[in-house]
Amino acid sequence: RLMSLRSRLALAFAVLATTVAALMGVLGYTATTNQLERAADQALLQDRGGGRPDPDHDQDGRGDDDQSRVLLSASGQVVQTQGPVALPVTAQDASAASSAAPVVFSRTQDVDGVPYRIVTVSPGGSQGAVLVGRDFSESASVLNRLAVILTVCAVGLAVIAAILGWFLAKQITKRLVRLTTTAELVSHTGELDVEVPSAGKDEVGRLSGAFSTMLDRLALSQAEQQRLVQDAGHELRTPLTSLRTNISLLERFEELSPEVRERVLADLKGESKELTGLVNEVLALAGGQAFTGEVELVRMADVAQSVATRARRRTGREVVVRADDTMVEGRRGALERALWNLVDNAAKFDGSGGPIEIVIAGGTVDVLDRGPGVGPQEAEHIFDRFYRPVSSRSLPGSGLGLSIVKDVAESVGGQVHVLARQGGGAVIGMTLPTA
């Protein structure tokens, strides 16, 4: 099983504390050792006249009882030994005895199992050397006790750091654990309506806030999809019922009069066309096709001219465009689709045969018609999905065109509106933020 984040943080705290303690212990032990050795060397050198001993001076037999001395000739031979122990002579000592230059060096060495601090002094000029040593047991014992104390302190500090690190890591990861539990709950149950812990303004708090926002958007998207499916299913029933009825009539095709046959075939053609349009609109909304393309600066006059040309060709109606140089930052395909839906809606409801007008001024895009207009109650719902006024339910359409207009307008920070046109008809459009 992988180690948890809390355990890793606790271990990291313990390792860091142990490393720092060990480093400080090594530095303290080294400094103490150097200080004790330096003090012992100075004491030994002071007994020998400040480090410039005279071999002849050592022959008089004077010296401390706790010190041991060895006098070396220029050839490195032991001339005299004095003190409680015989200090060992090394090749380095023999070399110092024959050195032409003054030499002073020291070392710690066991003599008969007892640590001794030994200083070797040579006046130079190949005059021999003197080895002075003293029992270093007390200082070595102090250093040993110090090493034990430092080791125990390091281990204790590591344990304390691990315990404190565990509690500190628990506090740090507590919100992360709750957030992880919430995420696992959402993943397991699929429920999006859950409470997300979002206290604090640090990184964990920001993560919780972002996760909560993500869940809200997912819940909204899920609700929109469910409503779209429900509304689409409801709207599909009408053309499907009509198709089944007409197909039942066609089963008695030979019994029908030519007029009835023609009417049934026309109904089938119209219903299939309406069903195709409805399916296309639902797929456009479900797949987000109304919002594809790159965001760019779009000149709305160019969009209006393109839509007007297409509307003239498909409907045979005259479309008049009056537009300024309004620029909008958005997706050209989405804006063109929204304006086309407005013009198509006007052409569908305007049976006067007069021109349809597109007016663009200062970010306001209006389509004017001479249709029956929109009542106050209908104006509140005209941009809802699948909403169709009572007066227009006999006309072909899916009830999604104006809802797409609203979605496109809101996607660029705009809004939609519907007004009564002076002299009859309606003004339906959108207000877009200009670039």
Side-chain angles (χ1 to χ4, degrees), residues 81-413:
T81 299
Q82 180 183 357
V85 297
L87 300 178
V89 178
T90 64
Q92 187 179 10
D93 297 329
S95 176
S98 60
S99 174
V103 176
V104 178
F105 61 87
S106 59
R107 67 183 183 272
T108 301
Q109 186 174 354
D110 284 349
V111 180
D112 297 332
V114 178
Y116 266 73
R117 187 65 181 172
I118 303 173
V119 176
T120 302
V121 181
S122 173
S126 301
Q127 300 180 45
V130 175
L131 278 68
V132 184
R134 177 178 291 173
D135 188 346
F136 202 62
S137 299
E138 184 176 353
S139 297
S141 178
V142 171
L143 292 176
N144 290 334
R145 288 196 300 271
L146 178 62
V148 172
I149 293 173
L150 292 176
T151 302
V152 171
C153 289
V155 174
L157 184 60
V159 174
I160 295 174
I163 296 174
L164 293 179
W166 174 265
F167 285 105
L168 182 60
K170 182 179 180 180
Q171 294 299 319
I172 293 175
T173 60
K174 181 167 58 177
R175 288 180 295 160
L176 282 176
V177 171
R178 292 202 303 265
L179 185 60
T180 302
T181 302
T182 302
E184 291 175 345
L185 177 64
V186 172
S187 176
H188 180 69
T189 63
E191 294 292 335
L192 301 178
D193 187 17
V194 296
E195 183 180 357
V196 179
S198 58
K201 297 183 179 180
D202 55 4
E203 288 79 1
V204 179
R206 290 166 53 195
L207 177 62
S208 299
F211 187 72
S212 178
T213 302
M214 180 188 69
L215 288 183
D216 291 341
R217 292 188 176 182
L218 285 175
L220 179 62
S221 176
Q222 186 181 66
E224 289 287 333
Q225 289 181 358
Q226 291 176 351
R227 187 164 67 90
L228 176 62
V229 171
Q230 293 172 356
D231 292 344
H234 179 269
E235 293 297 321
L236 285 170
R237 290 190 184 97
T238 300
L240 288 175
T241 301
S242 179
L243 284 174
R244 285 197 299 268
T245 302
N246 288 323
I247 290 173
S248 297
L249 287 175
L250 287 178
E251 291 178 351
R252 298 184 292 111
F253 188 78
E254 296 178 354
E255 302 176 8
L256 301 177
S257 63
E259 294 79 7
V260 175
R261 293 177 184 176
E262 185 177 352
R263 187 173 67 250
V264 171
L265 291 175
D267 287 344
L268 284 172
K269 183 177 180 181
E271 293 293 344
S272 63
K273 183 178 180 181
E274 181 177 352
L275 186 60
T276 301
L278 175 60
V279 171
N280 289 336
E281 294 288 1
V282 171
L283 290 177
L285 285 174
Q289 297 176 10
F291 305 102
T292 57
E294 296 292 333
V295 176
E296 57 182 328
L297 285 178
V298 180
R299 187 171 180 266
M300 291 304 299
D302 297 337
V303 175
Q305 292 293 346
S306 175
V307 170
T309 301
R310 180 158 45 126
R312 296 187 191 104
R313 183 174 64 251
R314 293 189 180 183
T315 65
R317 300 284 293 273
E318 178 61 26
V319 181
V320 179
V321 178
R322 298 197 303 272
D324 60 9
D325 290 330
T326 294
M327 301 290 290
V328 175
E329 187 175 3
R331 296 174 175 84
R332 180 183 177 90
L335 293 170
E336 188 168 333
R337 182 182 184 88
L339 186 54
W340 165 256
N341 285 353
L342 290 173
V343 174
D344 183 60
N345 182 78
K348 185 192 307 178
F349 290 99
D350 185 356
S352 66
I356 298 171
E357 299 181 29
I358 301 176
V359 180
I360 300 175
T364 300
V365 180
D366 288 330
V367 175
L368 294 71
D369 63 57
R370 290 296 182 183
V374 181
Q377 295 181 348
E378 295 176 341
E380 299 179 1
H381 305 286
I382 194 171
F383 292 101
D384 294 343
R385 289 180 180 176
F386 299 105
Y387 177 78
R388 300 180 69 187
V390 177
S391 59
S392 65
R393 290 180 182 175
S394 60
L395 299 175
S398 63
L400 291 173
L402 293 183
S403 68
I404 292 179
V405 174
K406 180 181 179 181
D407 290 345
V408 172
E410 291 180 348
S411 71
V412 295

Side-chain angles (χ1 to χ4, degrees), residues 11-65:
L11 180 61
F13 289 140
V15 170
L16 179 61
T18 303
T19 301
V20 173
L23 180 61
M24 297 301 295
V26 170
L27 292 177
Y29 182 83
T30 302
T32 304
T33 301
N34 292 337
Q35 185 67 26
L36 291 175
E37 290 178 346
R38 189 179 300 111
D41 294 348
Q42 289 177 353
L44 292 172
L45 290 174
Q46 287 175 358
D47 290 341
R48 303 312 308 152
R52 305 290 299 179
D54 183 357
D56 296 334
H57 175 75
D58 291 281
Q59 295 178 0
D60 59 8
R62 293 179 301 170
D64 296 335
D65 292 338

Side-chain angles (χ1 to χ4, degrees), residues 65-89:
D65 292 338
D66 62 342
Q67 289 185 356
S68 298
R69 296 177 180 81
V70 175
L71 178 64
L72 301 180
S73 65
S75 61
Q77 299 296 321
V78 176
V79 176
Q80 181 181 2
T81 299
Q82 180 183 357
V85 297
L87 300 178
V89 178

